[in-house]
Amino acid sequence: MSEIKKVKNLKEFSTSADRFEGANLLCPGCAHSIIVREVLNATNNDLILSASTGCLEVCTAVYPYTSWDASWIHIGFENGSTAVAGAETMYKALKKKGRLKQPEREPKFVSFAGDGASYDIGFQWISGCMERGHNIMHVVLDNEVYANTGGQRSSSTPIGSSATTSPAGRVSYGEKKNKKDMIAIMAAHQIPYAAQVAPNKWKDMVKKIQHGMAVDGPVFINAISPCTTEWKFDPKDTMHIADLATDSLVFPLYEIIDNHELNITYRPKNVIPVEEYLAAQGRFKHLFKDEYKYLIKEWQERVDEKWAYLNRREEARV
Amino acid sequence: MMKKGWDEFEIGAMLRTFDGKIDDIAGTLQEDRAYSENSSFVASVADWRINKPIFNKDFCIDCQFCWVYCPDISIISRDKKMIGIDMDHCKGCGICVEVCPTNPKSLLMFPEKSDEETELATWPAKNKETK
Ligand SMILES: Cc1ncc(C[n+]2csc(CCOP(=O)(O)OP(=O)(O)O)c2C)c(N)n1
Ligand code: SF4
Ligand code: SF4
Ligand code: SF4
Ligand SMILES: [Mg+2]
């Protein structure tokens, strides 16, 4: 049961039997479900799942329907991670006492949550799970905003983005604080694995999810999730926006093993200017006005700096 | 389906995804599962669509990009072949068309009311300019 599923290529991947169902209420073109499908299809093991409050939870468990074909729990906004950690602790206890009915099955424990639920409101719960060493995986569906309640800023919202609580207008260019580096914070808990993934790089995603499910201990995954509604782009362009995000290095793909071995897992052949990524989304539209154009230059500098930092860390193995 | 009100359930009542038992869910394809009336699989979002994708298998190379990037589990692939679209669950986002690499595309969007046979008969020819 617990062999790693063979996924040589996309054709082989497409033989997966999905455990996430359609006719959920996520927006057309929502990346949350693309990410969830790639994560669930990366394994054949049984799954114990949770979702913290947010678009994914709200849209997939509307009475009388569920879109989940696995054990799934939702409690509140902040505690999806601890719900799954509790289930994992119970599983371990029953196993130790020899009370599991099918001890040969090795379920995987995965908690899904938005950036609001992870970077802000569920932060201490996740930190607790990481520190206590539960054998769980926490996956952030990072759309850089509180999407489900209409687009308030979170500590994942990047500089210059217009959010409903930090709107761009005559006196402001929108969000003023830079995005929190959650991956570094989580890795600093000395967990065995932390990684950033993107739905357009499905193979990199599957590899990292499989690695994360194979290691013993807590795993943190940050998945970029382009949001057609809040980022303001046409639903058909979700994968195009994800490509711009990874190829402009705004969302570099990398992993951190045991908080010291950093590997960059994707190096775009042609790195595209950050400006192209920004220009494709309505949330950054105002940055192209003359008075705010300097912010685009600053954006590029920040991205270059972060990329150089990741490269230095990769080389130094620290 | 007939919905019970929240106060009509007995305490501890359980709604199940499937009728009966499925032992190996990851090894059981959708057509072999007995979905209960509480799975969203039995529901439809077809009325969300303004435009719908039409699939022309003559040009398809079975790359499976549409399968992996469809958010709504609406591209039906079996035995490594793309065989059609689940029109109950497709929301008409158009992602599958965007990611389809063939020339001409094997998937195109049309107004919801279009007739599939007519569209297939007048499918655009190969585009000479690259892409
Ligand atoms: C404790 C608590 N505070 C606020 C809310 C209201 N609320 C529900 S969903 C949501 C936004 C979720 O944002 P995020 O976690 O980023 O997920 P997304 O919807 O963006 O996927 C908020 C603020 C709540 N349900 N519980
Ligand atoms: S608001 Fe954004 S994250 Fe929420 S369902 Fe719509 S596209 Fe998905
Ligand atoms: S239009 Fe969207 S929902 Fe419909 S099959 Fe294509 S990708 Fe899937
Ligand atoms: S993306 Fe196009 S070519 Fe590839 S499997 Fe789908 S329809 Fe066929
Ligand atoms: Mg969010």
Side-chain angles (χ1 to χ4, degrees), chain A residues 121-162:
Chain A
I121 298 180
F123 185 76
Q124 70 164 298
W125 280 259
I126 300 168
S127 176
C129 287
M130 299 291 147
E131 168 259 313
R132 287 190 301 271
H134 293 283
N135 201 7
I136 66 164
M137 175 183 285
H138 183 84
V139 180
V140 183
L141 303 155
D142 186 8
N143 57 13
E144 303 190 310
V145 74
Y146 287 82
N148 193 241
T149 38
Q152 296 80 13
R153 62 84 68 183
S154 78
S155 57
S156 173
T157 307
I159 293 184
S161 175
S162 185

Side-chain angles (χ1 to χ4, degrees), chain B residues 93-108:
Chain B
C93 66
I95 290 177
C96 53
V97 172
E98 291 302 306
V99 300
C100 180
T102 60
N103 184 1
K105 283 186 183 286
S106 315
L107 286 157
L108 285 171

Side-chain angles (χ1 to χ4, degrees), chain A residues 215-234:
Chain A
V215 298
D216 193 23
V219 169
F220 180 82
I221 302 283
N222 198 69
I224 177 199
S225 187
C227 168
T228 149
T229 305
E230 296 301 338
W231 296 16
K232 301 190 170 59
F233 60 81
D234 193 298

Side-chain angles (χ1 to χ4, degrees), chain A residues 21-22 26 63-64 67 105 200, chain B residues 4 23 35 38 40 69 91:
Chain A
E21 299 296 348
L26 292 158
Y63 174 71
S67 302
R105 297 177 88 119
N200 52 323
Chain B
K4 264 192 183 182
D23 199 52
Y35 287 101
N38 294 115
S40 69
Y69 296 133
K91 292 171 186 162

Side-chain angles (χ1 to χ4, degrees), chain B residues 52 54 109-119:
Chain B
K52 66 177 177 190
I54 293 180
M109 297 304 284
F110 296 93
E112 180 65 21
K113 296 250 158 12
S114 328
D115 173 55
E116 185 166 333
E117 268 172 48
T118 314
E119 299 304 346

Side-chain angles (χ1 to χ4, degrees), chain A residues 11 33-34 45 47 51 73 75 109 120 125-126 158 164 183 189 207 240 242 244 262 272 274 285 290 299 303-304 313:
Chain A
K11 282 188 196 236
S33 47
I34 305 174
N45 285 48
L47 292 162
I73 186 171
I75 304 175
F109 297 83
D120 300 338
W125 280 259
I126 300 168
T164 51
I183 301 168
H189 288 70
K207 229 176 125 192
H240 175 58
L244 292 174
L262 189 149
I272 58 162
V274 171
K285 195 173 72 203
D290 282 341
W299 248 102
V303 168
D304 292 347
R313 271 199 67 179

